[in-house]
Amino acid sequence: MKKYYRLWWTLIAIFAITFGILGYFGKEIYREAPPIPATVVNESGDVLMTSESILDGQIAWQTTGGMQLGSIWGHGAYQAPDWTADWLHRELVNWLDIAAIETFQTPYENLNEEQQASLQFKLKKAYRTNTYDTESDTLVLSERRLAAIEKTADYYHRLFGDDPALTETRANFAMKENTLPDPEHRQRMTEFFFWTAWAAGTERTTESATYTNNWPHEPLIDNVPTMENIVWSIISIILLVAGVGLLIWFWAFFRDADDEELVVPENDPLTSFQLTPSQKALGKYLFIVVALFSFQVMMGGLTAHYTVEGDGFYGIDLAKWFPYSLTRTWHIQSALFWIATAFLAAGLFLAPIINGGKDPKFQKLGVDILFWALVAVVAGSFIGNFLAISHMMPQNLSFWLGHQGYEYVDLGRLWQIGKFTGIVLWLVLMLRGIVPALQQPGDKHLLVLLTASVVAIGLFYGAGFFYGARTHISVMEYWRWWIVHLWVEGFFEVFATAALAFIFVSMGIVSKRLATIASLGSASLFMLGGIPGTFHHMYFSGTTTPVMAVGAVFSALEVVPLIVLGHEGWEHYRLQRSAPWMQKVKWPLLFFVAVAFWNMVGAGVMGFMINPPISLYYLQGLNTTATHAHAALFGVYGFLGLGFVILVLRYIRPNMTFSEPLMKTAFWWLNGGLALMLFTSLLPVGIIQLVASASEGLWYARSESFMQTDLLQTLRWIRTFGDVVFIVGALAVSWQVVKGLWLDKSEGTEQPAVPLWSNGAEGRKPEHGVDVCCGSCGGSDAVKD
C-alpha cells in the first residue's frame, strides 16, 4: 500500500510541475506572439492594412476550410502549398525582379552572378530588418516591397477565384473553382497570408531569428536553422538515449513480481451477472461507431484520390460539391467522433460493473439522451462544414455554425459546445456509477485513477473555448494543441490504460496490485513527457526559444515509455491462454496487441522522427507528418477504439460467436493496409519532399512543379493499394459488429444470472455462492466455487 502512495505522490507532483511549465510558457506565447500591427503603412504614411483587416483575412481563410486546404506555418493539409512559405517565396522573387528592372533594366534571371548577389544582399537586408514600431503599433513597408506584395496578391486573387489560366493549378492543388468567391474576402485573405509571411521573414530583434524561429527554410533570405534549434535537438536526442537506458534499468532491476498467487476464474466473471438496461442500450453506440468508421475510410480514400486527380474522382466531377477541403474535414472529424464514441461506450459499459452490477436511477435515460445528442452534433457539424466551404453560409456565421478552419477542431463553435456538453453528460453518467463504489471499503487506487482520467476527459476538452475566430493564430495554436495533444494523446491514453487494467482485473486474469502499480507508473511516464511535450507542435508558430527548449526536452521523454510497449503487447497476447473462456475475447485482445505495436512504431519511432527541432524544421508540413499522424491516430486510438467496441459487443451479445473469417480479414487487412499506406506511399513521398525542402526550401517541396513529377504521382497512385486493403478490413469489422448486433439479438447469459458483487456494494453476498471481484474494492481477485 505504501508503494501506491509513493506512486500517487509522484504522479501528483509530475502533474503539478508539468502543468506549471505549460502554463508559464503559455503566458510567454501570449506575451511574445508576433505583433499584428494596428496599421500597415507605406513610407508616405498612407494606411494599407489594419489589424482588423488582417483578422478579417484570417476569417476569410477559415471559410475556405482553413488548415484543410494547404497550411499556415506548416500546420494543415499537404496537397496545396503551405501558404506562408509559398507567399514568402513568391514575394521575394517578385521583389528581385522589380529590383533588377529598376536597377539594371532587365529581369533578374538575365543578370550575372555578381549582379544577382548584390540584389540578394539587399533583399536579405530589406526583409529581415524589422520595420515594425512598437510605440506607434505601425509597420512601415517600402514602395518596392509594396509592389512585390501587390504582384503576389494578384496571383492569389486569381488562384482562389476562377481565372482560367490557373485551372490546372487549382486541380493540382485539389482546389475547387472559385474557392473564395467574394473578391473583397480574397483581398482580406491575401493580407492575412502576407502577415504570416512577414512574421516568418522578419527578425524579432536585430540580428536574431525571425518570429517563427527562421522557419520556413528559405535560402534567399538565409532562413536556416538557428543555433538554438541545433543545440536543443542534440540535447533531446541525448535525453532520449538516457531515458531509454534508465527505463530499461528500472524495468530490469526494480520491476516487482507479483507476490500474489492469482487463481484464474473457471468462467468469465463478466458474464456472471444480468446485463443492465443501460448496457443493453449500448448497441446503438457500437453501430454509430462502425458507421462513422466506414464513412471515415471512404472519405479517406476519396481525399487520397484527390491528391492525384484534384478536381474529380475517376472523371466524375465530385469536387464541385465535395472538394478536398470538405472530404478531408469529414475524414478527420469522423475519426475523432467514432474514436471518442467508442471510448464513451467502453466507459458506460464499465459504470454498472463498478456500481455492483446495477444501474443508477435513470442511467439508461441518460445513455439514450447522450447518444442522440452525439448524433445531433455529428449531423449538425457535418452539414455546417458543407455549407461553410460551399459558401452557402454567411461568413459571419461560419466560425459558429460552419467551419472553424483549424485542423482537428474544424466543427463550428456551436457544435463544439454541444460536443463538450455531451462529454460532461458522459462524465456525470460515469460518476453516478463510480462515486458509490468509491465510498465502499477496500483497495480503490485503480478506481481512483480511472475516475481521475474520466474527469480529465470530461473537462479538458473545454480548452477549445479559450480562443475565438479573431484570436491571434499563435495563441490559438497553444489552445488547439491542448485538445489535439493533451486531451487526445494524453488523458485518453491514461483512460485507456486504466480502463484496460480495470477490465482485466474484473476478469480475474490480472492481479489488482500489479495492475494498479503498472497503471500509476504508466500515467506518470505519459504525463511527464506528454504535458510539456505539447510545445513540440509549436516550435515555429511564433514562439520563442524557451518554448522550443521545453518542447524538445520533454517530447524526447514522451518516447521513452513507448519503448517497452512491445512487452505490453506480448503480455496482452498471452492473456488469451490464461483460461479456456479467454478464447472468446481473443479478437479484442489482438486489437489491443496491435495498439501496443503501433504505439511503439507510430507514436514512438515515427513520432520522434519529427520531434527534434532540427527534424521538424525541414519536415513540418510534409508527408512525414501525415505518416506519423496515420500510424499514431488510427494505429493507437483507432485499434483501441475498435478493440473496446468488439469487447463490449462480446458482452452485450453474450451468445454471439465472432466469425473467424471476418475477424481475420478485419485484423490483418487493417494492419496490412495501414502498413502499405505508410511504407509504400506516405513515407517515401515524405522522404523525397525532405530532400527538396532541405536543398531548395519548403516552398519547393510543396510546389506544383515538384509534387506533379512522375515519381511522386506514381507513389501517390500506389497508395490506392493500401487504401483498398484497409477499406476491406474496415468493412469486415463493421459487418461483424452489425451482424453481432442485429443477427444475434439474444441477451441471455452463459451462466446463471447473478448480481455482480463487490464488498459492501449490495450489503450482502450474492446467491449461488459466487464471489466476483470487479476491481472496485478490496475483494477477491478470483471466483470462489
Side-chain angles (χ1 to χ4, degrees):
M1 195 68 70
K2 289 182 179 179
K3 175 162 285 189
Y4 289 166
Y5 288 111
R6 287 200 299 269
L7 289 170
W8 272 115
W9 282 115
T10 300
L11 177 59
I12 292 169
I14 288 172
F15 194 83
I17 293 170
T18 53
F19 262 103
I21 294 171
L22 190 66
Y24 177 81
F25 288 102
K27 184 179 178 182
E28 177 87 357
I29 291 173
Y30 273 85
R31 185 170 57 248
E32 299 293 342
I36 302 178
T39 54
V40 179
V41 301
N42 60 17
E43 292 170 325
S44 301
D46 300 322
V47 176
L48 308 168
M49 312 174 202
T50 67
S51 59
E52 289 304 304
S53 69
I54 291 170
L55 290 174
D56 287 341
Q58 179 174 299
I59 292 176
W61 164 72
Q62 291 165 0
T63 65
T64 67
M67 289 180 176
Q68 302 296 359
L69 183 66
S71 56
I72 291 289
W73 288 348
H75 293 146
Y78 310 107
Q79 181 64 11
D82 178 87
W83 304 118
T84 301
D86 188 70
W87 178 289
L88 179 61
H89 185 76
R90 288 180 184 279
E91 186 184 328
L92 295 175
V93 170
N94 288 334
W95 189 98
L96 287 171
D97 269 337
I98 293 168
I101 291 171
E102 289 178 352
T103 306
F104 301 105
Q105 291 75 51
T106 187
Y108 176 78
E109 62 182 11
N110 295 337
L111 302 181
N112 60 42
E113 291 184 1
E114 183 178 350
Q115 292 170 326
Q116 288 184 346
S118 68
L119 289 184
Q120 286 184 20
F121 175 80
K122 294 178 181 178
L123 175 76
K124 178 184 174 183
K125 185 175 182 181
Y127 274 77
R128 293 188 68 91
T129 300
N130 196 334
T131 57
Y132 169 71
D133 181 69
T134 55
E135 291 186 5
S136 62
D137 198 11
T138 299
L139 173 63
V140 181
L141 299 177
S142 68
E143 295 302 323
R144 183 178 290 173
R145 182 162 188 178
L146 286 173
I149 291 169
E150 183 177 352
K151 189 174 181 181
T152 306
D154 176 68
Y155 166 79
Y156 280 94
H157 271 285
R158 294 183 292 113
L159 178 65
F160 280 81
D162 56 2
D163 185 349
L166 293 175
T167 297
E168 184 179 354
T169 297
R170 281 189 291 273
N172 290 333
F173 290 162
M175 297 172 63
K176 68 174 185 175
E177 291 294 305
N178 229 6
T179 301
L180 189 57
D182 191 316
E184 179 67 21
H185 293 165
R186 289 202 296 270
Q187 174 60 35
R188 300 288 83 80
M189 186 182 67
T190 62
E191 294 177 13
F192 173 64
F193 285 175
F194 155 75
W195 173 81
T196 68
W198 170 80
T202 300
E203 293 175 353
R204 189 179 287 272
T205 58
T206 305
E207 296 184 358
S208 68
T210 68
Y211 286 104
T212 56
N213 285 315
N214 280 3
W215 185 94
H217 181 217
E218 178 51 80
L220 284 175
I221 54 171
D222 283 353
N223 259 17
V224 295
T226 62
M227 176 271 293
E228 293 86 355
N229 183 307
I230 297 170
V231 168
W232 287 108
S233 297
I234 294 171
I235 291 173
S236 73
I237 294 170
I238 293 171
L239 283 173
L240 173 65
V241 175
V244 170
L246 287 172
L247 181 65
I248 294 173
W249 176 274
F250 280 101
W251 185 268
F253 291 99
F254 296 99
R255 183 170 179 259
D256 288 344
D258 193 2
D259 55 7
E260 302 176 31
E261 185 177 348
L262 186 66
V263 180
V264 178
E266 293 181 5
N267 298 298
D268 185 351
L270 294 185
T271 62
S272 65
F273 67 97
Q274 196 73 265
L275 287 168
T276 68
S278 73
Q279 288 176 317
K280 294 177 184 178
L282 292 177
K284 54 183 172 288
Y285 281 77
L286 307 190
F287 174 74
I288 201 69
V289 166
V290 295
L292 282 171
F293 177 42
S294 299
F295 176 77
Q296 183 225 341
V297 297
M298 295 304 177
M299 287 298 101
L302 178 57
T303 303
H305 185 78
Y306 279 153
T307 66
V308 291
E309 190 186 350
D311 56 354
F313 182 74
Y314 295 104
I316 303 172
D317 190 16
L318 285 181
K320 181 179 180 180
W321 295 103
F322 305 104
Y324 175 94
S325 57
L326 179 63
T327 61
R328 191 174 189 269
T329 296
W330 284 349
H331 174 61
I332 293 176
Q333 284 303 303
S334 56
L336 296 181
F337 276 128
W338 76 255
I339 290 171
T341 303
F343 276 63
L344 301 188
L348 293 172
F349 175 76
L350 285 176
I353 297 175
I354 296 169
N355 194 43
K358 62 180 183 178
D359 276 340
K361 193 174 183 180
F362 302 121
Q363 184 79 353
K364 180 183 181 298
L365 177 63
V367 169
D368 290 340
I369 291 173
L370 175 59
F371 173 79
W372 292 113
L374 290 173
V375 170
V377 168
V378 172
S381 65
F382 280 15
I383 293 169
N385 295 153
F386 174 82
L387 294 176
I389 290 176
S390 62
H391 296 283
M392 296 179 184
M393 179 181 291
Q395 180 173 293
N396 63 320
L397 297 178
S398 182
F399 184 85
W400 279 92
L401 298 176
H403 202 299
Q404 290 189 35
Y406 298 127
E407 196 177 27
Y408 294 104
V409 282
D410 306 270
L411 71 173
R413 176 55 55 86
L414 177 66
W415 311 114
Q416 187 182 12
I417 293 171
K419 186 175 180 178
F420 178 68
T421 304
I423 294 168
V424 171
L425 174 57
W426 174 77
L427 170 61
V428 172
L429 293 173
M430 290 295 297
L431 291 180
R432 294 175 77 239
I434 290 173
V435 171
L438 287 173
Q439 295 171 347
Q440 304 303 322
D443 177 2
K444 299 295 189 301
H445 292 272
L446 183 58
L447 184 58
V448 171
L449 179 62
L450 179 64
T451 306
S453 67
V454 167
V455 172
I457 288 173
L459 299 181
F460 271 85
Y461 185 73
F465 302 131
F466 285 90
Y467 66 86
R470 303 177 74 83
T471 298
H472 193 294
I473 194 169
S474 296
V475 173
M476 179 283 302
E477 285 284 44
Y478 174 67
W479 292 113
R480 183 173 76 96
W481 287 110
W482 271 60
I483 297 175
V484 182
H485 183 91
L486 269 183
W487 188 65
V488 175
E489 299 181 35
F491 295 116
F492 267 109
E493 185 92 44
V494 175
F495 171 79
T497 300
L500 279 177
F502 196 91
I503 291 169
F504 293 153
V505 169
S506 299
M507 288 178 169
I509 56 177
V510 173
S511 158
K512 186 189 303 179
R513 175 178 172 275
L514 275 189
T516 303
I517 291 173
S519 297
L520 285 169
S522 297
S524 295
L525 288 173
F526 288 139
M527 294 295 99
L528 176 62
I531 294 174
T534 304
F535 284 131
H536 80 252
H537 298 283
M538 290 176 273
Y539 295 151
F540 313 116
S541 296
T543 57
T544 53
T545 297
V547 171
M548 180 190 293
V550 171
V553 168
F554 285 95
S555 64
L557 297 179
E558 279 187 274
V559 181
V560 171
L562 305 180
I563 300 300
V564 298
L565 288 180
H567 180 272
E568 178 183 318
W570 172 245
E571 290 293 316
H572 286 166
Y573 181 76
R574 289 175 57 191
L575 287 176
Q576 63 180 306
R577 303 173 184 172
S578 58
W581 56 266
M582 283 295 293
Q583 283 298 309
K584 295 186 177 181
V585 291
K586 176 185 74 172
W587 287 111
L589 287 176
L590 286 177
F591 274 72
F592 299 147
V593 171
V595 170
F597 172 79
W598 287 109
N599 217 339
M600 181 175 63
V601 174
V605 176
M606 295 179 180
F608 192 72
M609 172 179 70
I610 62 174
N611 274 4
I614 190 63
S615 295
L616 199 59
Y617 181 84
Y618 293 109
L619 293 174
Q620 180 156 294
L622 306 184
N623 276 267
T624 44
T625 306
T627 304
H628 161 62
H630 281 79
L633 183 58
F634 179 79
V636 179
Y637 295 99
F639 271 116
L640 188 57
L642 290 176
F644 280 145
V645 163
I646 58 177
L647 185 68
V648 172
L649 175 66
R650 162 74 184 86
Y651 287 107
I652 67 172
R653 295 290 185 269
N655 289 338
M656 183 208 70
T657 301
F658 288 118
S659 165
E660 286 294 308
L662 269 181
M663 292 309 299
K664 284 181 179 178
T665 301
F667 182 77
W668 292 112
W669 287 55
L670 283 172
N671 278 283
L674 181 59
L676 285 172
M677 188 190 310
L678 299 177
F679 299 117
T680 67
S681 182
L682 284 175
L683 186 59
V685 169
I687 292 173
I688 294 170
Q689 283 183 299
L690 166 62
V691 175
S693 175
S695 59
E696 300 289 336
L698 177 65
W699 68 271
Y700 179 64
R702 293 275 295 274
S703 67
E704 178 184 12
S705 60
F706 182 74
M707 292 300 291
Q708 297 306 312
T709 58
D710 291 342
L711 176 58
L712 290 182
Q713 279 282 74
T714 300
L715 286 172
R716 293 203 296 277
W717 271 111
I718 287 173
R719 177 175 168 177
T720 304
F721 295 104
D723 285 351
V724 170
V725 171
F726 189 88
I727 289 171
V728 171
L731 294 178
V733 73
S734 298
W735 176 240
Q736 173 65 87
V737 172
V738 171
K739 182 172 177 286
L741 288 172
W742 274 277
L743 300 186
D744 179 8
K745 295 187 178 181
S746 171
E747 294 175 355
T749 57
E750 297 171 344
Q751 301 177 47
V754 296
L756 183 65
W757 175 71
S758 60
N759 289 356
E762 295 287 337
R764 60 180 178 83
K765 287 191 176 182
E767 301 172 359
H768 309 296
V770 180
D771 180 3
V772 181
C773 178
C774 71
S776 65
C777 68
S780 169
D781 282 333
V783 173
K784 300 174 183 177
D785 293 324

